[in-house]
């Protein structure tokens, strides 16, 4: 079995779905499905479940699986990718098996971090996951958080990318040169932009779609940006990316995940509080967020 997949259904914008919590700090099925249903109506091409925006490494193992179970209720209506990355291969495989059993279309994994693994060990991690479940894998390339810089010239990584185990890359990295180099190593890879603030640049470098956090609350805006990129409307691209980035700059300065939860609450979906040690948005910060959203309404 190889990881080659039909790229066409995945081309577009996929929210990296946030994890809602109820008043008891438990994963809220009601709120998660409400958010996914809204995003689907707005035009989401699919969903990325259990990633950084989902506070994945602040969830217990069972809570991560619980988010997969909830998302799987949307199976048949959309495409689903599950993030299964972990510090250890065995845990990643266990999560991958859960996603497979629930009918997910793709799995994704950050490189193993904290310990400084060699490129040979990292390549083996992905190979072991694939051999255990035989589901196409997206490498979740997020060096800013993992501290892992993929060496695309390393023989083990070159072999991995050509092995059939890897379907594509979620490129959460502002290095667009590296995005193009992934394509060079294997032209069949499915490439996603993972940083919303460089979507237009990543599209120009040949990405097939985008997976992002702010798509949770401003998906229509990014669909307009994506479509402007596709038709080559440079003025619209620059304007739409600019307004998105002003919003991004504001919420990142406050705290990305707490801000996303606050905005979704403003929009009528109660996501609860972010997991500690994240701090909730203060009333003053919420006013600041509201002001920037008013200043740059969807065009």
């Amino acid at each position: 079995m190889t990881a080659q997949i039909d790229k066409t259904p995945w081309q577009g914008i996929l929210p990296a779905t946030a994890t809602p919590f109820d008043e008891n700090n438990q994963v809220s099925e009601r709120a998660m499905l409400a958010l996914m249903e809204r995003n689907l109506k707005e035009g989401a091409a699919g969903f990325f479940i259990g990633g950084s925006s989902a506070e994945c490494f602040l969830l217990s193992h069972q809570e991560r699986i619980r988010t997969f179970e909830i998302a799987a209720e949307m199976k048949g209506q959309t495409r689903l990718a599950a993030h299964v990355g972990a510090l250890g291969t065995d845990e990643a495989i266990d999560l991958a098996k859960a996603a497979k059993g629930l009918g997910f279309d793709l799995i994704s994994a950050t490189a193993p971090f904290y310990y400084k693994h060699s490129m040979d060990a990292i390549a083996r991690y992905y190979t072991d996951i694939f051999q255990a479940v035989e589901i196409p894998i997206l490498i979740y390339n997020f060096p800013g958080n993992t501290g892992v810089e993929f060496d695309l010239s390393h023989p083990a990584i070159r072999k991995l990318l050509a092995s059939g185990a890897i379907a594509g890359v979620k490129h959460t990295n502002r290095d667009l040169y590296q995005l193009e180099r992934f394509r060079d190593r294997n032209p069949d890879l499915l490439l996603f932009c993972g940083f919303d603030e460089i979507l237009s640049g990543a599209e120009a470098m040949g990405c097939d779609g985008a997976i992002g956090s702010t798509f949770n609350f401003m998906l229509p805006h990014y669909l307009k940006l994506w479509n402007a990129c596709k038709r080559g409307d440079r003025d619209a691209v620059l304007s739409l990316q600019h307004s998105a980035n002003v919003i991004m700059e504001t919420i990142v300065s406050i705290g990305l995940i707490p801000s996303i939860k606050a905005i979704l609450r403003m929009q009528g979906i109660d996501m609860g509080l972010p997991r500690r040690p994240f701090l909730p948005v203060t009333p003053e910060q919420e006013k600041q967020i509201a002001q920037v959203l008013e200043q740059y309404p969807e065009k």
Side-chain angles (χ1 to χ4, degrees), residues 34-35 58 115 166 186 252 290:
L35 176 59
L58 299 179
Y115 299 103
I166 304 301
N186 182 349
V252 166

Side-chain angles (χ1 to χ4, degrees), residues 15-288:
T17 300
T19 301
F21 302 114
D22 62 21
E23 62 277 8
N24 297 314
N25 199 27
Q26 302 298 308
V27 177
S28 171
E29 176 177 1
R30 177 192 55 77
M32 186 170 171
L33 289 176
L35 176 59
M36 292 180 71
E37 288 165 0
R38 188 187 79 175
N39 286 159
L40 188 60
K41 289 176 183 176
E42 290 171 335
F47 295 90
F48 188 82
I49 306 300
S52 302
S53 302
E55 303 169 69
C56 57
F57 295 118
L58 299 179
L59 304 182
S60 70
H61 185 82
Q62 191 53 49
E63 284 176 323
R64 293 180 72 179
I65 293 175
R66 180 63 185 136
T67 66
F68 299 168
E69 291 171 344
I70 294 169
E73 295 185 36
M74 303 287 287
K75 186 68 183 171
Q77 302 178 60
T78 188
R79 283 154 292 281
L80 298 171
H83 171 240
V84 303
L87 289 182
T89 302
D90 289 344
E91 182 179 9
I93 288 174
D94 192 61
L95 291 165
K97 286 180 176 178
K100 179 178 182 178
L102 290 165
F104 275 70
D105 305 287
L106 289 174
I107 58 173
S108 181
T110 50
F113 57 95
Y114 185 76
Y115 299 103
K116 304 298 182 183
H117 298 292
S118 67
M119 289 295 113
D120 291 291
I122 290 169
R124 179 62 181 270
Y125 163 86
Y126 286 105
T127 301
D128 286 346
I129 295 170
F130 179 73
Q131 289 178 345
V133 294
E134 294 190 332
I135 299 177
I137 299 175
L138 296 177
I139 289 174
Y140 189 169
N141 182 33
F142 198 177
N145 277 25
T146 65
V148 176
E149 292 283 355
F150 279 89
D151 179 358
L152 300 188
S153 296
H154 193 283
I157 301 302
R158 282 180 172 268
K159 183 179 179 181
L160 174 70
L161 294 174
S163 68
I166 304 301
V169 179
K170 180 183 184 296
H171 190 69
T172 309
N173 188 352
R174 294 186 180 91
D175 185 348
L176 294 179
Y177 168 76
Q178 188 187 51
L179 176 67
E180 191 277 334
R181 291 292 82 194
F182 271 113
R183 175 76 75 203
D184 177 74
R185 298 300 184 258
N186 182 349
D188 293 325
L189 291 176
L190 178 64
L191 298 183
F192 290 105
C193 172
F195 265 137
D196 312 356
E197 56 267 42
I198 60 165
L199 175 57
S200 55
E203 191 281 332
M205 293 297 278
C207 72
D208 298 290
I211 297 170
S213 56
T214 60
F215 306 163
N216 281 281
F217 68 86
M218 55 187 296
L219 180 60
H221 183 97
Y222 281 99
L223 281 171
K224 288 185 178 183
L225 172 56
W226 180 255
N227 291 331
C229 289
K230 289 301 180 185
R231 67 175 183 268
D233 187 343
R234 185 172 183 272
D235 289 341
V237 167
L238 291 175
S239 176
L240 290 162
Q241 187 73 76
H242 169 74
S243 56
N245 285 0
V246 172
I247 293 169
M248 178 67 81
E249 185 175 43
T250 298
I251 64 177
V252 166
S253 71
I254 292 170
L256 180 63
I257 290 173
S259 294
I260 289 171
K261 290 198 161 183
I263 292 168
L264 289 169
R265 185 176 65 252
M266 295 177 202
Q267 294 178 343
I269 300 177
D270 187 357
M271 301 294 287
L273 296 174
R275 276 280 167 87
R276 293 182 295 178
F278 282 123
L279 297 175
V281 169
T282 66
E284 186 56 41
Q285 289 170 333
E286 191 163 318
K287 288 179 184 177
Q288 187 181 350

